[in-house]
Amino acid sequence: MDPKPGRGRHPAPGKSVSEQFHTAGRIKDLGKSVQFSWPGVYFEGRFRGTGLGVVLDCAAADYDVQVDGATVATLVTPGDTTHWINGLRDGEHTVRVVKRNETPGDTSTFKGFVAAPGGAVLGKPAPRDRQIEFIGDSLTVGYGNVSGTRDCDPEQVRRNTHTDVSHGALTARMLDADYQINGFSGLGMVRNVAGITPDVTYRTYYDRALLNVDGDVWRNPGTWRPQIVVVNLGANDFSDLTPGEPWTPDSLADAYRTAYGEFLRELRARYGAGTALVAVGFDRNTEYVRQVVEARNAAGDNGVHYWFLDQSGLDFLGCDQHTSAHDDRVIAGRLAPFLNGLPTGW
């Protein structure tokens, strides 16, 4: 009898679950499970047989399950479950599980794969040679990008945010690169949208693997060495000032430029001279980002590059006038050739 959703065996005892899958995302490896928080984290595996169980413990996020490159299930806040994919042809298959949306207030847990009776989980696929890290806000996340409408309530935003078809994920796939989408909606370099939560910024969370754990620090296993890091922060910094905020336009611009330069220096120290850093100019921050890049170049870091996110041809039909899935495809089609032309040794 075929295993049923929510029922089934756990991965083989005595082995680390991370031996089953390849991921480039920020995870905390607990041995029999891994925890994660950032959007777009993916787990890729291989198996033989007619079915596979995906073991998750997450009541906050949504996931796509892809077998042999095709999406076979979308799991909406699945909870603590084993979700079974059955009825496949008997043979070798690939599987990919990807977190669709952002849930910064929660920690998600993946407990690996289990094969249907008669099958087996095989060795994990090899990592890709190319790696790209995307740092940003809602535009990087893919906030509400598959909604088809600008009018969304919070529940519709959650269900219609699809980081796996964000412009970063699409760009990476165009270039056959592993990637991280380290995006956090609403946050900026020194100021957040509409001045909310002034005691934290994006930089408060950047070092973490688990976003809702104060003081958490992601431990790079040594395998994450991106040749390119793309930074797109500033749309929230320069959202309209609200009464009572301490900023003036000039003081905000000065603080933004200073913080951006510091952040780029931190990235350079983290990843070394061989990593290309790309600073994205978008909307009201365009000129300030250009100035930051010019300052870093003048200081001797010629590995910092400026890229202008051209809004022509974009419909902004995502939730709350964010970029849509159509827009993400357009942006990726422009960004991928630019990244491919950088002096990365690709």
Side-chain angles (χ1 to χ4, degrees):
M1 186 171 67
D2 284 343
K4 296 296 188 293
R7 299 168 56 192
R9 301 167 297 162
H10 289 287
K15 289 188 175 183
S16 172
V17 71
S18 62
E19 295 179 24
Q20 292 189 337
F21 60 77
H22 161 64
T23 186
R26 294 185 174 188
I27 61 171
K28 184 175 183 179
D29 192 341
L30 302 180
K32 294 183 179 180
S33 65
V34 296
Q35 295 178 323
F36 53 101
S37 288
W38 292 96
V41 174
Y42 56 88
F43 305 95
E44 298 175 334
R46 299 168 56 245
F47 67 100
R48 183 180 66 249
T50 61
L52 185 79
V54 176
V55 190
L56 285 162
D57 186 357
C58 179
D62 300 345
Y63 299 83
D64 274 357
V65 180
Q66 300 159 357
V67 173
D68 299 332
T71 299
V72 296
T74 296
L75 312 181
V76 177
T77 60
D80 187 357
T81 188
T82 300
H83 182 88
W84 285 94
I85 306 298
N86 289 307
L88 304 172
R89 63 168 178 80
D90 193 4
E92 292 191 8
H93 302 274
T94 61
V95 59
R96 183 174 184 268
V97 178
V98 59
K99 184 173 182 275
R100 287 172 54 111
N101 49 1
E102 59 179 331
T103 53
D106 296 273
T107 293
S108 302
T109 302
F110 179 56
K111 300 179 181 180
F113 303 115
V114 287
V121 177
L122 305 175
K124 61 185 177 182
R128 296 164 183 85
D129 292 332
R130 298 175 175 183
Q131 297 178 337
I132 308 173
E133 181 174 341
F134 296 91
I135 293 170
D137 50 32
S138 53
L139 196 72
T140 296
V141 170
Y143 177 104
N145 57 346
V146 296
S147 65
T149 178
R150 296 169 178 165
D151 299 321
C152 304
D153 60 31
E155 176 70 10
Q156 291 169 324
V157 172
R158 286 189 286 270
R159 301 289 80 81
N160 290 289
T161 294
H162 197 347
T163 305
D164 203 41
V165 294
S166 66
H167 70 263
L170 295 177
T171 297
R173 286 200 284 277
M174 288 178 181
L175 298 173
D176 191 27
D178 275 322
Y179 61 91
Q180 292 182 356
I181 305 288
N182 297 327
F184 199 134
S185 291
L187 301 186
M189 194 69 77
V190 296
R191 176 181 175 270
N192 306 321
V193 65
I196 63 170
T197 57
D199 54 328
V200 298
T201 66
Y202 177 89
R203 293 183 297 154
T204 306
Y205 299 95
Y206 173 67
D207 285 337
R208 300 183 187 182
L210 306 181
L211 294 171
N212 64 329
V213 179
D214 288 343
D216 185 62
V217 176
W218 177 56
R219 304 298 178 185
N220 188 334
T223 56
W224 184 245
R225 299 181 295 272
Q227 296 97 343
I228 300 174
V229 178
V230 179
V231 183
N232 187 358
L233 288 168
N236 294 313
D237 293 85
F238 296 101
S239 60
D240 291 339
L241 293 172
T242 57
E245 286 194 74
W247 303 103
T248 66
D250 287 344
S251 70
L252 178 59
D254 287 343
Y256 176 77
R257 284 187 293 251
T258 298
Y260 208 133
E262 291 173 352
F263 190 56
L264 292 177
R265 286 193 292 274
E266 291 168 5
L267 290 172
R268 176 62 69 224
R270 178 185 296 246
Y271 292 129
T275 295
L277 306 179
V278 177
V280 178
F282 175 71
D283 205 25
R284 300 182 191 182
N285 68 1
T286 298
E287 191 54 37
Y288 303 128
V289 174
R290 190 193 304 275
Q291 292 166 2
V292 170
V293 172
E294 290 173 349
R296 294 307 309 140
N297 293 161
D301 190 346
N302 292 320
V304 179
H305 308 269
Y306 174 79
W307 188 71
F308 174 63
L309 199 163
D310 183 359
Q311 298 185 38
S312 65
L314 307 185
D315 57 35
F316 293 98
L317 285 177
C319 289
D320 304 319
Q321 300 188 55
H322 281 75
T323 48
S324 65
H326 162 271
D327 296 346
D328 281 317
R329 292 191 295 272
V330 172
I331 296 168
R334 295 168 178 169
L335 180 57
F338 175 81
L339 299 185
N340 200 41
L342 294 176
T344 59
W346 287 1

